[in-house]
Amino acid sequence: MSIVDSALTPPPNCEEALEMLQSMPLLELGKRAFAEKQRRYGDRITYVSNQHVNPTNLCVYACKFCDYTAKQGDDHAYVLTEDEILQSLNNPQIHEAHIVSGLWPKWGFERSINLIHLIRSARPELFIKAFTAVEVAYFANMERCDTRIILKAMMDAGVDMMPGGGAEVLNERIHAELYKDKIGPGEWLRIHGEAHALGLPSNATLLFGHIETDEEIIEHLFALRELEECSPGFQSFIPLAYQPGDTGLTACLVDANRCLKIIALSRLVLHNIPHIKAYWPTLQIETAVAALNFGADDLDGTLGKERIMQLASTASPEQLSHDLMERMIREAGQRPVQRDGRYGQVNKDHRGNVLVEDSVC
Ligand code: V47
Ligand code: SF4
């Protein structure tokens, strides 16, 4: 019997999930989600030593929620070179690279694939998580080819996984209102399904705390659950709490309670997606620690230099040390395990000490 089949209680249907989000007391929801996380992973909470790489913030699109993007000539516009990127990945303690860029012709398909080749030859063992479905669609459009050709080229170059960005809220109303220029729900889901069918795993995000309704959050979660049923390959779900920055887009109330409810609900609804991340740059550190008792099993990573949330003026730091991440996990009464990109335990800690193998439930 698999971990999913033997869940404590059957996963909720749409109506039950909406009821849980709107009416179930937070602590009751959290207790159920934490019990499910404990059943799967015991007191183990993972984190990864990773480095975010965002080649440029120049972007041909202008999503209304985005405070990261820049236009040419803006003070905060930047474009990284290959050398700068390779330099940032030089540290052998980094186990995972997370590469996502603005959509910009000078960082087009050929150059982006070549970047993966360069990283792969400099760091053969590094886990490379790169290019969202939005970038895949942009490359396919520029190259006038099928998105599966792009996905195959990414895999051949050495990409190990697709990150979960660009999903925003998988709902046509929100697509039309906030991010109409780029791909919408149908295409995002199709591209992730194609990646899974080709053997490329991926993640999924949810951007919450802006104009979405509770019903639209539920629609998003069930679209992911359904895709995973038909075309499995999601590894992790990452709820991102919206940071309004200077966009002028009014955020609805995203206090700690709301964040914890979304984390807990995700654990219970997404019974077929193994990992739920407490992504500290948007949850903020205190709420991320609490989320480890509300169903999350992974704290994502040290991040190196994260730019997307920094440019949206998040109060979180741009990186965390291993020691601090481990302290956060212990603070939550849980046991830290440093992982690699595939969620396996790394065999040496960041000081080079050989680690005893951890048993995964
Ligand atoms: O798609 C943009 C979101 C995403 C803001 O796969 C914002 O492991 C909050 O996808 N406030 C990119 N969120 C980040 C992302 C991600 C992050 C961590 C782990 C993984 C993974 C993926 O960030 C975008 C968008 O939904 N975003 N602006 C903002 N102001
Ligand atoms: Fe460009 Fe992505 Fe920002 Fe949209 S969210 S404007 S696609 S960088």
Side-chain angles (χ1 to χ4, degrees), residues 57 59-63 65-66 68-69 101-103 134 168 182:
N57 63 346
C59 187
V60 295
Y61 295 152
C63 304
F65 60 80
C66 182
Y68 164 71
T69 183
S101 185
L103 306 167
V134 178
E168 321 314 356
K182 70 179 186 189

Side-chain angles (χ1 to χ4, degrees), residues 185-199:
E187 259 194 283
W188 191 94
L189 290 164
R190 179 181 58 75
I191 292 169
H192 279 258
E194 286 174 355
H196 297 174
L198 288 168

